[in-house]
Amino acid sequence: MENSESMNNAVQTAVNTASQMHHEYITPEHLLYGLTQQVDFKASLWQCDANDETIRLQLKSWLETQEKVGDTLTLPIPSLQFTDVMKNALKIALRSNARCVDAKEYVEAILMLQDSMAAYILGKEVDGKEAAFFSALDTLYGARVDEDDYEPDGFMDAPDFRPENWKTLVTDISEEAKTHTPLIGREMELDRTIQILCRMEKNNPLHVGDPGVGKTAIIYGLADMINHNKVPGRIRGCKIYGVEMGQLLAGAQYRGDFEKRIKLILDGAAKENAIIYLDEIHNIIGAGRGSDGGPDASNILKPYLESGRIRFIGATTHDEYNRKMAKDRGITRRFQMIDIKEPSIDETIKIVTGLQHSMQAFHGVVYRKEALEYAVRASARHIPDRHLPDKAIDLIDEAGAMLEVHPMNRSRQYVTKAHIDEILVKICKIQAKALKDNDNEHLESLRQNILNRIYGQDKAVNEVTDAVMMAKAGLNEEDKPLASLLFVGPTGVGKTEVARVLAKELGVELVRFDMSEYTEKHAVAKLIGSPAGYVGYEDGGQLIDAIRNTPNCVLLLDEIEKAHSDIYNILLQVMDYAKLTDNRGQKADFRNVILIMTSNAGAQYASQASIGFGGGVSKGEAMMKQVKKTFKPEFINRLSNIVVFNDMDEHMASMILGKKLRELYAKLKAKNVTASATDEALAYLQKKCFTREYGARETDRVIAHELKPLFMREILFGRLKKGGNAIIDIKDNKLSIK
């Protein structure tokens, strides 16, 4: 039985080392020193957390202390221990029915020696980890593909494992770059990447950035520069090949298939002076590792990463880098990280302008210049959970696809701002009128539209609409919510209704949270996600999820004073920076949110102030005094405005009553019933409904308990079964229908 090619190389290295050091005998220490020069042996040691450099330095130090002979001997002779190692390795190979004697058998034979420095040094490093070490040796050395090992019509004769076919496992990015859209900008990132590639060691750039910021586009830009010889001579003529872990894992049915494919690629790339691009590089951590704890892709790559023979470029996101790669210091120290930041709006406009020609040719449409700029600015504003330029390109691409699917009756199809708005309405779940920033007529009528539905709160409505229009005019700070308002006033005066009407008029959704559900400290944590180890940790934050799903909305936190005081600390960050992060690291953007909080704080003191309580202070002063006691100064200081709502009066009560009756009449009309009320009935209802203590909610109760039951019986069992006319009147000091 013969040695494998790798072991023949190790033995030859041992002979050369002994000859160079002028040693008379070849010892197991020379052989072990030769093995430490091999990439697969290093990777096997790393797999069991052993240090190959420590072993090599200890062996070298020991060998330098050994007796030297003159230069008369041209070739050292094997020592007795070296002979024993070769014999024992052969016996081990025969017992295991191996095809050849490889590194695993020789290492096992070395560890069997008594009074051997090689056995001592190696055994100390792999002590307690022998199983993992031998498993790695078996896998890695077994994965080596030599032309002499091919058997006709055998498993190893598969085309995927022939050395000349390694390019079938990769993507030729240099070739694809010839037809790819040219890179615009990113000069600093490209310069840094080229600089790292020109290093002698650890010449491996790592692009880290959020999804969609253009990491892959930089690689195509680099490939284009290499194709046009616009790079230093060090990397001139190099070709970039992309490797996907999923492609390598696909179809790897047998043990060692995955490792063989990686070895084929690396050996082939080393011969061609290629650059390997690893997109989603975090996937190499654990890729290909079996249940027995064998080596993964990262362990196989480590020797190549350090040697500098092959240049690697990796790409990953910040989250994946921190979650997977940062834990493996052996990988991260071999890469040089480059932070890929999101381009600005102006840079993104240049990028999409550069894509305009290819997009037009693909979809058969014409993009107007103002539509491209609008798509960039609208995506930056209304799609906060994604990044430029990806989200802007998606808008433009989908607008072109929409015209392609639904063409207009004209010879040339033009993509306009209206088409971009139509796509945004579908993506962002907002009404079209919410996107019309220049619709000043709609904003001008906003106050009156709200007043038509909210009675007796003119001042409050004015303050709300002024705050909203200030934000729409772009005069507020960018990194804050559109408005942060605190509504204070007695119950039932229209605080919640104003928020509901405002959302409807602006064309956005109303997201409501009842703060009475968050009275406990642990309940507040549900808004941003429970801490690790607590129930609900996997669910994430309720508030975060709501804003991520509807980033353009009116956020109503009803009866905020009932919540635990920890809620104020959360809201401080929202009002200051318009950002919030949950327990899973997901961020919510509040820049397009109108934050409204309602409170009854100070309402009882306001009613007392009206009759002279507290030295004749006004209702507003009395209420504000209590608000300052309830809420912290830093909380009040970050509010856009505190809106004080008036108490219910008779005029307001009559208008609300009329509104509620009209709503009831509309429901009756659906049953073919026409209803009206006499003056006596209206006076009775108004007297019953008017109360300063309960506000408009008393009106709902009176109608629900005294009036609706009358119609219920008549519609179900009486004369209004098939419809008809009904008059609400008073009989025996009670409501009746005639």
Side-chain angles (χ1 to χ4, degrees):
M1 184 178 292
E2 297 181 350
N3 289 334
S4 66
E5 183 178 347
S6 58
M7 278 312 304
N8 285 333
N9 294 334
V11 171
Q12 187 61 49
T13 303
V15 173
N16 295 338
T17 302
S19 180
Q20 292 169 3
M21 290 186 171
H22 304 290
H23 293 162
E24 183 178 0
Y25 296 102
I26 307 169
T27 64
E29 288 74 22
H30 292 104
L31 180 60
L32 184 59
Y33 186 81
L35 285 171
T36 60
Q37 312 300 311
Q38 296 188 354
V39 172
D40 292 330
F41 191 81
K42 293 180 181 179
S44 301
L45 289 169
W46 288 336
Q47 180 59 35
C48 63
D49 297 325
N51 194 325
D52 66 290
E53 190 68 13
T54 301
I55 296 174
R56 190 182 68 82
L57 291 176
Q58 289 181 355
L59 286 170
K60 186 178 180 181
S61 178
W62 185 85
L63 289 170
E64 287 176 347
T65 62
Q66 300 306 301
E67 183 180 357
K68 301 181 187 300
V69 298
D71 297 334
T72 55
L73 291 177
T74 58
L75 192 68
I77 59 177
S79 67
L80 290 176
Q81 282 193 329
F82 186 85
T83 304
D84 290 340
V85 167
M86 297 190 71
K87 290 180 180 178
N88 290 333
L90 179 61
K91 292 178 181 177
I92 295 170
L94 290 171
R95 283 201 305 268
S96 60
N97 295 322
R99 290 186 302 168
C100 58
V101 189
D102 213 336
K104 179 184 176 183
E105 288 77 23
Y106 272 91
V107 169
E108 191 172 345
I110 290 174
L111 293 175
M112 292 169 58
L113 294 173
Q114 302 290 329
D115 300 326
S116 168
M117 183 57 67
Y120 172 74
I121 293 174
L122 181 61
K124 184 174 63 174
E125 281 296 318
V126 300
D127 185 34
K129 313 167 190 173
E130 292 87 350
F133 180 49
F134 285 123
S135 176
L137 285 172
D138 188 33
T139 302
L140 289 172
Y141 278 89
R144 181 173 295 278
V145 180
D146 302 320
E147 291 187 6
D148 296 339
D149 291 337
Y150 285 113
E151 301 175 4
D153 302 323
F155 171 70
M156 293 300 297
D157 199 41
D160 285 350
F161 299 106
R162 292 190 180 277
E164 64 271 15
N165 291 339
W166 70 274
K167 290 185 180 179
T168 61
L169 301 172
V170 298
T171 303
D172 192 341
I173 294 178
S174 296
E175 189 65 29
E176 291 184 355
K178 296 177 181 179
T179 56
H180 199 270
T181 305
L183 179 67
I184 300 172
R186 300 295 191 181
E187 290 84 5
M188 292 180 59
E189 291 85 353
L190 270 174
D191 183 71
R192 174 78 172 134
T193 300
I194 294 171
Q195 185 175 322
I196 293 171
L197 289 172
C198 291
R199 290 179 51 163
M200 183 174 71
E201 294 181 349
K202 299 180 183 178
N203 46 8
N204 311 301
L206 176 62
H207 294 165
V208 182
D210 293 316
V213 298
K215 298 186 295 293
T216 305
I218 293 175
I219 300 302
Y220 280 97
L222 174 63
D224 185 68
M225 291 180 66
I226 295 175
N227 290 340
H228 290 87
N229 293 324
K230 297 180 179 179
V231 293
R234 180 78 54 189
I235 60 173
R236 190 170 294 175
C238 290
K239 298 196 72 175
I240 303 177
Y241 296 98
V243 175
E244 295 182 6
M245 289 296 114
Q247 183 179 348
L248 297 182
L249 287 168
Q253 303 178 24
Y254 303 99
R255 180 187 177 95
D257 285 7
F258 176 69
E259 291 83 356
K260 291 184 181 76
R261 293 176 180 181
I262 292 181
K263 294 288 292 182
L264 282 177
I265 293 172
L266 298 178
D267 292 342
K271 295 177 182 177
E272 290 198 12
N273 192 28
I275 299 173
I276 298 296
Y277 175 57
L278 298 169
D279 198 8
E280 308 291 342
I281 192 174
H282 54 270
N283 290 328
I284 69 172
I285 309 296
R289 178 179 293 158
S291 58
D292 58 351
D296 60 0
S298 64
N299 294 114
I300 301 173
L301 290 176
K302 283 176 182 176
Y304 294 90
L305 288 167
E306 189 159 10
S307 67
R309 290 191 302 151
I310 306 175
R311 297 174 176 89
F312 295 84
I313 302 177
T316 185
T317 64
H318 291 288
D319 292 341
E320 295 293 348
Y321 178 85
N322 295 328
R323 190 165 64 92
K324 291 185 177 181
M325 293 195 64
K327 299 176 182 178
D328 192 337
R329 301 299 299 173
I331 281 289
T332 55
R333 74 179 185 86
R334 292 170 168 84
F335 280 95
Q336 312 303 314
M337 193 172 81
I338 302 174
D339 191 14
I340 310 298
K341 297 186 179 296
E342 183 180 18
S344 65
I345 290 178
D346 293 337
E347 291 172 334
T348 306
I349 290 174
K350 294 180 181 178
I351 293 172
V352 298
T353 303
L355 294 172
Q356 181 179 0
H357 179 72
S358 58
M359 286 277 191
Q360 290 180 163
F362 183 83
H363 292 296
V365 300
V366 177
Y367 290 94
R368 297 192 182 277
K369 183 180 179 180
E370 60 271 16
L372 295 177
E373 294 183 3
Y374 177 72
V376 175
R377 300 185 186 279
S379 63
R381 178 179 177 183
H382 297 289
I383 311 177
D385 57 336
R386 296 174 58 190
H387 298 88
L388 295 173
D390 184 63
K391 58 185 179 182
I393 295 172
D394 282 352
L395 270 183
I396 296 167
D397 193 10
E398 192 159 345
M402 183 181 67
L403 273 186
E404 191 176 353
V405 176
H406 306 288
M408 303 177 70
N409 295 324
R410 57 178 68 172
S411 58
R412 302 186 71 180
Q413 307 292 322
Y414 290 92
V415 177
T416 63
K417 292 172 61 177
H419 297 114
I420 302 296
D421 280 342
E422 192 172 343
I423 301 298
L424 276 173
V425 168
K426 298 176 182 177
I427 295 176
C428 303
K429 302 177 183 178
I430 56 179
Q431 297 182 19
K433 63 182 179 181
L435 299 170
K436 297 180 180 179
D437 294 336
N438 299 323
D439 190 2
N440 295 327
E441 293 182 1
H442 174 70
L443 288 177
E444 191 175 1
S445 62
L446 177 64
R447 173 181 174 274
Q448 190 58 48
N449 292 340
I450 297 177
L451 287 176
N452 291 338
R453 301 182 60 180
I454 304 296
Y455 307 120
Q457 304 292 352
D458 294 18
K459 184 181 178 183
V461 172
N462 287 339
E463 293 176 353
V464 172
T465 53
D466 286 347
V468 172
M469 287 190 287
M470 187 74 72
K472 291 290 186 180
L475 301 178
N476 288 350
E477 296 183 38
E478 292 185 359
D479 294 331
K480 291 183 182 295
L482 294 177
S484 301
L485 304 171
L486 176 64
F487 290 178
V488 294
T491 181
V493 295
K495 300 187 298 293
T496 303
E497 187 66 15
V498 168
R500 186 177 291 108
V501 174
L502 178 64
K504 185 174 182 180
E505 290 297 325
L506 292 176
V508 298
E509 288 193 27
L510 175 69
V511 179
R512 181 179 178 272
F513 285 86
D514 191 341
M515 291 293 102
S516 61
E517 297 180 9
Y518 304 94
T519 57
E520 301 293 334
K521 185 181 181 67
H522 67 270
V524 174
K526 294 191 294 184
L527 292 173
I528 59 173
S530 301
Y534 287 77
V535 175
Y537 170 73
E538 299 83 3
D539 299 334
Q542 297 173 353
L543 179 59
I544 303 292
D545 291 343
I547 300 303
R548 283 172 59 88
N549 293 330
T550 53
N552 301 269
C553 67
V554 173
L555 175 61
L556 176 62
L557 305 181
D558 218 355
E559 300 183 350
I560 186 70
E561 79 280 358
K562 294 182 179 179
H564 192 273
S565 59
D566 283 0
I567 189 68
Y568 304 133
N569 299 326
I570 295 174
L571 295 176
L572 288 179
Q573 184 178 346
V574 173
M575 292 188 290
D576 239 356
Y577 304 106
K579 300 283 185 184
L580 202 59
T581 308
D582 69 0
N583 59 344
R584 298 177 296 180
Q586 295 181 334
K587 295 183 181 293
D589 193 329
F590 289 77
R591 287 180 297 175
N592 297 315
V593 171
I594 298 174
L595 174 62
I596 296 177
M597 296 159 283
T598 68
S599 173
N600 298 325
Q604 67 273 29
Y605 298 105
S607 62
Q608 295 172 357
S610 65
I611 57 174
F613 176 81
V617 297
S618 66
K619 291 183 180 180
E621 291 174 345
M623 194 170 294
M624 286 302 300
K625 186 176 181 180
Q626 186 62 25
V627 166
K628 291 178 180 178
K629 291 182 180 179
T630 305
F631 302 99
K632 297 179 180 179
E634 60 267 28
F635 179 85
I636 296 175
N637 194 41
R638 287 169 170 82
L639 292 169
S640 304
N641 199 2
I642 299 177
V643 182
V644 180
F645 281 69
N646 299 327
D647 283 350
M648 177 80 72
D649 56 25
E650 292 186 7
H651 177 67
M652 189 190 304
S654 65
M655 296 182 71
I656 293 174
L657 175 61
K659 176 185 175 182
K660 299 295 182 181
L661 288 175
R662 287 192 295 272
E663 292 175 358
L664 177 61
Y665 296 161
K667 292 181 180 180
L668 293 173
K669 192 174 182 180
K671 300 291 184 180
N672 296 321
V673 176
T674 305
S676 61
T678 63
D679 294 341
E680 292 80 6
L682 291 174
Y684 174 87
L685 286 170
Q686 185 168 343
K687 183 179 178 180
K688 295 274 292 187
C689 294
F690 175 61
T691 170
R692 295 183 184 273
E693 184 179 2
Y694 299 111
R697 289 188 174 88
E698 188 66 20
T699 305
D700 290 329
R701 278 191 289 270
V702 171
I703 292 176
H705 295 160
E706 296 190 27
L707 188 55
K708 287 184 178 180
L710 301 177
F711 284 99
M712 173 191 70
R713 286 188 286 270
E714 293 294 334
I715 291 174
L716 294 176
F717 315 112
R719 63 183 183 88
L720 299 178
K721 277 186 178 182
K722 298 181 181 180
N725 298 321
I727 299 174
I728 305 170
D729 201 0
I730 298 295
K731 185 177 180 181
D732 299 332
N733 202 28
K734 292 183 179 179
L735 292 173
S736 64
I737 297 176
K738 60 180 184 179

